[in-house]
Structure formats: C-alpha cells, structure tokens
Amino acid sequence: STGYTNPGYLWQVSADSGKSWTDIPNSNAISINLNAPSTIALMNYKYRMLTGEGNNINSVNCRVSSNTTILNVRPKPSGKLSGTNICLGSNANLIFTTASTLPKFSITYTDGINSYSQNNLDNNSAFLTPYMLTDTTTFILTSVTDAGGCTNYGNIYDSAIKINVNPLPQAGISGMTICNGQPAYLNFSATQGVPLFTLEITDGTNLIKIDSASVNDSLSVPKITNSTSYTLLSLTDKTGCSRTSNFLSANATIDVNPSPQISFAALPAVCKNDSPFVITQAAETSGLPGTGLFSGDGVANSGLFSPASVTEGTHPIEYKYLASNGCTDSATQNITVNSLPIANAGPDIIGCANTAIQLNATGGAGYLWMPPDGLDNASIPNPVAMVKNSTNYIVKVTSADGCIAYDSLNIIISQLGKAAYKVPNAFTPNGDGKNDCFGIGRWGGIVLQEFSIYNRWGQRVFATTNPSKCWDGTFNGIPQDSGGYVYIIHAITPCGLINLKGTVLLIR
C-alpha cells in the first residue's frame, strides 16, 4: 500500500510455524521466485514480506511485516523395481514398491536401449516386461510421478534390477531290453538345466511322474510284461524352468523278452552209500531253447549227484536255466543225505552141534539174517540158531530212514565141545596191536559169570562179567610186572557150563 517514498523489501521463511524466521537472500522485491525446499516428509513453510523506508528495511524497529502465507511442500516420490530370474522365452515379472503415500503412480524405466512407461501403479504392483527376455537384462527405474503431479527424475533409491535368464532344460530318454519279470528302466540323459530334474512320461495310458533325476540316470517305471513305448511329455529342472517339446529324444521303447519257467520238484532223501544218480526233478517248462545247469555240494553241472561225496545232512541244489535270448531263471531244492546204520552182528561164536545159539544184532530199526537156514526167525535182531556145521551169517540192518548196512559173524561148531573154549597162555601188552590184551572175546554167545585175575600175592587186579572186556596188564592204571597171573573163568556157553582156572604169563 502507499506509505513509503522509497520502500525497501525483505522476504522471510519459517519452518517451525512462525516461531523463528530466516531471511531469504536477494529478495528485495514485491514478488520473488524460489525453489521449494527439499524434504523427506510433508512440510508446511510460512512466508512473509518485510518493508521499510529505504535502508530502514535492515532495522528491526523501522519495518513492518505482511500477513503470512503457507507453502505446503511434499517430498519427491521414490520407489524401486524388483523381480526374479526367469526362464528363456518368458516375460519378466517386475514389481514396483514405494514408501510414498500419494498413489496412483506412473513410472518410466529403461533396459539400457529403450525406455518404457507404466501407469496406475500402487505399492507392490506387479507388471510384465513388454517383451520376452532372451538374455540377462538390467532394468533401471528413471522416474516416479505421484498422483499430485510430483516427479522424481533422479537419485531414485535402488533403481536397478538385474533379471537373469535361465536356459530351458534339455534331455532325452532311451529304452533297453529286459527279461519278463525284471524291473523296467528308461535311460535318461540331460545336456542342459540344473539338476535335479522332474519328468512326466506316458506309456500311452498312464501318466508317470519321476522326481529327483540326476544328469545321467536310470528311471524306474512300473513293471511291464510286454514291450512298451514311452513318450517324454515335460522336463523341469531345479530352477523351475520347463520344456514340453523339442527334446533330444522324446520316445523310447522297453523290449521284454520271455523268461524261462523253471519247475523243480522236491528231492527225495537218499542214503550215504547210494550209487550216484542223475537229478531229473528240474526242467524248463515253457519251451524256450537254452541250457540248464546244476550247482551245489556233490552235484555235477549235468545233475549227477554223488551221495558219498558229501556229509550227512541237508544240502541245497540249485538249477539255473540260461535261455538263448539271455534271460535266466533258477530254483533251489534241498536234498537230505541220511547216515548209514552201524550194523553189528556181534562177535564170532564157538558152539556145539545142534545146540541153541543166541544171536544178537544191533544198529537199526529192521533186520534180516542170511541165510535163514537154522534160524528160528530171520527177520528179528536176536534169532536163535541151531546148526550142525560151522556157518557164516550176514545180517542186513535197515535204519528208520531206510538206509542199509551189513555185518557178519561165524558160528564155529567145534568137535571138541567144551574143550574149544580156550584162552592163550601168554600176552604182551606193549602196544603193537598184537596180543596186547588177555580175554575171551572170541568165545561169543556166552553168559560170563566171572572173569577174575590175581597176582602172586592173591590180590585181584582185574574182574568183569562182560565177555568183550580184557585185561591190559595194568592195575589202577599202573603197569604190572612181568610174570605169571592166575585167572578164574565161569561162563555159560552153547556147549554148557565152563569153569576154567589157570596161569597166564605177562611178558614185557
């Protein structure tokens, strides 16, 4: 207004709601232009103009101030781009984020060659790049404009984002030839992509998903009985990139050859002394040409089994058939080799003509004496024999398992009668296997009532009622001196009662 002849001017600004004021340099004018102050948050700035006569403008007491006006200053909008790596041939998905509070936003960005814009964005808005990426590309945010029209053209925080482009995985499958009944596999080989891989394969009917395949791998597929073709439908690697066409080899066949069928019936038990024989219980039943071989203890490849060559007990025998197409099958049966009975006909017996002589065999479950002549029953272990002449008897002893052994004895018919029951007059217990023991073991068929031996002092050094035992020239384990020893024998024999007393000479 009018009032000063030569008015001076000075503008001031307050950032604290008029509590303090700061001069604005070079502001000696009714109207001034200024740049809004930089701020990181919404700020209210107060402005006023001072005036005075001439230089009195510099005197606090000689000037007056106008009313105040307020300038509201918003911060420049900011933001950044983010994104994830993509697969070859895909558009990248970019995400715009901002802490600015005045949506909607418009942005411009560049890939270093061309510039692009995107409008109507909120915080965390996602959008696709305008083209599919074929190589690693860096995108730079070049401007952000908010709904109030404020634009930030530079110094945008974290404005660059690099998008890596992963190649699509590449691989192929191939088949194999298997035998019917064997596990089925496809061969897998990858030339591109990050393992491990996930595959989807079809056999024309079923969809087969396979996880965690390595670069070169054998892929198990469900069991098959006929030749089957497979097609690779999709391949995905660890990065998530997938291929659904143009594989190195998308088709493969698993050929199935017939396998031989083995029948191997149970093997009967045999005896240790049986003759070698050919095992005939095993055969290939489907008619496939090929060769069958036996293996196991005591058996030749041809199946010839020799019981005598193995120990008693159970032995596994395997029959393996190799067909001409390379397929095999095998089966196993056990064969039991039973031990032989220990046949014992007893010692030779001295007897008298036409007197009853008791025989007694041991060692088995069944017995048969040969010849049956003179026996009251040839099919028992203890028949009674009555013969006129010396006779050799053979006993056939059969075990519970049906195995057979033989033993024999002689019945010696002496014309001497009781005089045939004699003992030697000397023996030599020196361990040479000849005349080492003094006894009556060869008498046979007797009941021994007493057999005693005394030394020269009348001390009994040996006694028994077992006709098979003899004196070895010791007493309480101590070898006795050479010299004469008295023996006394009382026995019931086939020829009658025998009572002998005499002296035997011990020679060392």
Side-chain angles (χ1 to χ4, degrees):
S1 65
T2 59
Y4 295 120
T5 303
N6 182 28
Y9 306 100
L10 178 63
W11 288 84
Q12 290 182 324
V13 61
S14 174
D16 53 9
S17 298
K19 295 178 182 178
S20 61
W21 294 88
T22 302
D23 294 343
I24 298 176
N26 303 315
S27 60
N28 186 19
I30 286 290
S31 175
I32 61 172
N33 293 319
L34 54 82
N35 290 322
S38 295
T39 180
I40 60 174
L42 179 64
M43 288 288 294
N44 295 323
Y45 294 92
K46 287 188 174 184
Y47 292 86
R48 68 182 181 181
M49 187 190 74
L50 305 179
T51 183
E53 181 67 39
N55 290 331
N56 288 341
I57 191 61
N58 296 315
S59 174
V60 175
N61 296 318
C62 297
R63 62 190 182 188
V64 294
S65 63
S66 70
N67 61 310
T68 61
T69 186
I70 298 175
L71 176 65
N72 294 315
V73 180
R74 296 192 308 273
K76 289 183 179 181
S78 63
K80 67 176 180 179
L81 295 177
S82 61
T84 58
N85 297 333
I86 63 167
C87 302
L88 181 66
S90 299
N91 295 74
N93 190 46
L94 301 181
I95 300 173
F96 170 73
T97 57
T98 179
S100 300
T101 59
L102 200 61
K104 302 289 187 169
F105 300 94
S106 297
I107 65 169
T108 59
Y109 63 99
T110 180
D111 59 8
I113 300 175
N114 298 306
S115 291
Y116 308 94
S117 63
Q118 196 74 29
N119 301 316
N120 202 33
L121 299 179
D122 291 305
N123 182 35
N124 290 321
S125 289
F127 57 93
L128 293 174
T129 57
Y131 59 91
M132 293 186 295
L133 276 60
T134 59
D135 201 355
T136 298
T137 304
T138 299
F139 292 96
I140 301 173
L141 185 62
T142 54
S143 74
V144 178
T145 301
D146 64 15
C150 291
T151 302
N152 190 348
Y153 290 101
N155 300 319
I156 301 176
Y157 170 74
D158 200 14
S159 61
I161 176 63
K162 182 169 70 174
I163 304 297
N164 293 314
V165 178
N166 295 318
L168 298 184
Q170 180 60 285
I173 57 174
S174 61
M176 59 172 51
T177 298
I178 64 170
C179 298
N180 193 9
Q182 290 182 337
Y185 295 93
L186 290 171
N187 297 312
F188 171 77
S189 180
T191 58
Q192 194 167 272
V194 179
L196 300 167
F197 299 92
T198 298
L199 300 88
E200 287 186 338
I201 298 171
T202 182
D203 59 7
T205 302
N206 303 300
L207 180 66
I208 304 167
K209 185 176 180 180
I210 299 172
D211 295 316
S212 303
S214 56
V215 173
N216 293 291
D217 210 343
S218 294
L219 310 179
S220 176
V221 296
K223 187 176 180 180
I224 57 176
T225 57
N226 298 304
S227 296
T228 304
S229 295
Y230 298 87
T231 300
L232 179 58
L233 300 178
S234 69
L235 173 66
T236 304
D237 69 1
K238 187 176 181 181
T239 68
C241 294
S242 296
R243 177 185 292 274
T244 57
S245 62
N246 299 320
F247 298 101
L248 294 178
S249 175
N251 300 300
T253 299
I254 298 178
D255 294 314
V256 180
N257 285 334
S259 292
Q261 304 297 313
I262 300 300
S263 173
F264 196 173
L267 297 173
V270 297
C271 298
K272 177 74 172 176
N273 61 347
D274 284 353
S275 299
F277 61 92
V278 176
I279 296 175
T280 59
Q281 287 81 356
E284 201 284 323
T285 60
S286 69
L288 280 179
T291 303
L293 299 175
F294 289 88
S295 63
D297 294 339
V299 67
N301 289 342
S302 62
L304 182 67
F305 183 76
S306 176
S309 67
V310 297
T311 60
E312 293 90 346
T314 300
H315 301 271
I317 303 297
E318 182 186 43
Y319 181 69
K320 185 175 184 179
Y321 192 86
L322 175 62
S324 57
N325 63 9
C327 296
T328 64
D329 190 21
S330 64
T332 300
Q333 289 284 3
N334 290 327
I335 189 168
T336 299
V337 178
N338 292 318
S339 58
L340 302 179
I342 301 175
N344 185 5
D348 291 345
I349 299 175
I350 299 174
C352 295
N354 296 319
T355 60
I357 299 175
Q358 180 70 58
L359 305 183
N360 190 21
T362 60
Y367 301 86
L368 181 64
W369 292 88
M370 298 170 289
D373 302 339
L375 301 179
D376 64 340
N377 188 344
S379 299
I380 61 175
N382 52 352
V384 174
M386 188 174 290
V387 293
K388 294 180 180 180
N389 301 308
S390 296
T391 304
N392 175 259
Y393 283 104
I394 298 172
V395 63
K396 176 183 177 182
V397 179
T398 304
S399 69
D401 298 320
C403 296
I404 297 172
Y406 298 87
D407 196 20
S408 65
L409 63 77
N410 291 308
I411 295 180
I412 302 169
I413 301 300
S414 174
Q415 303 304 318
L416 300 177
K418 292 182 180 181
Y421 294 92
K422 299 184 293 184
V423 295
N425 57 13
F427 74 109
T428 56
N430 56 7
D432 64 355
K434 299 178 181 179
N435 300 317
D436 285 333
C437 203
F438 175 68
I440 58 172
R442 68 180 298 273
W443 286 11
I446 70 169
V447 177
L448 181 61
Q449 296 175 322
E450 181 186 2
F451 179 18
S452 300
I453 299 175
Y454 299 86
N455 62 20
R456 69 185 69 180
W457 297 284
Q459 183 180 23
R460 189 163 69 173
V461 295
F462 176 78
T464 186
T465 57
N466 185 346
S468 65
K469 290 187 177 181
C470 58
W471 184 46
D472 62 359
T474 66
F475 178 53
N476 292 332
I478 301 174
Q480 300 298 291
D481 296 334
S482 298
Y485 292 81
V486 176
Y487 61 83
I488 296 175
I489 301 174
H490 299 295
I492 300 173
T493 75
C495 296
L497 183 64
I498 299 293
N499 295 301
L500 293 180
K501 183 177 181 181
T503 300
V504 64
L505 186 61
L506 189 156
I507 302 173
R508 291 193 183 278

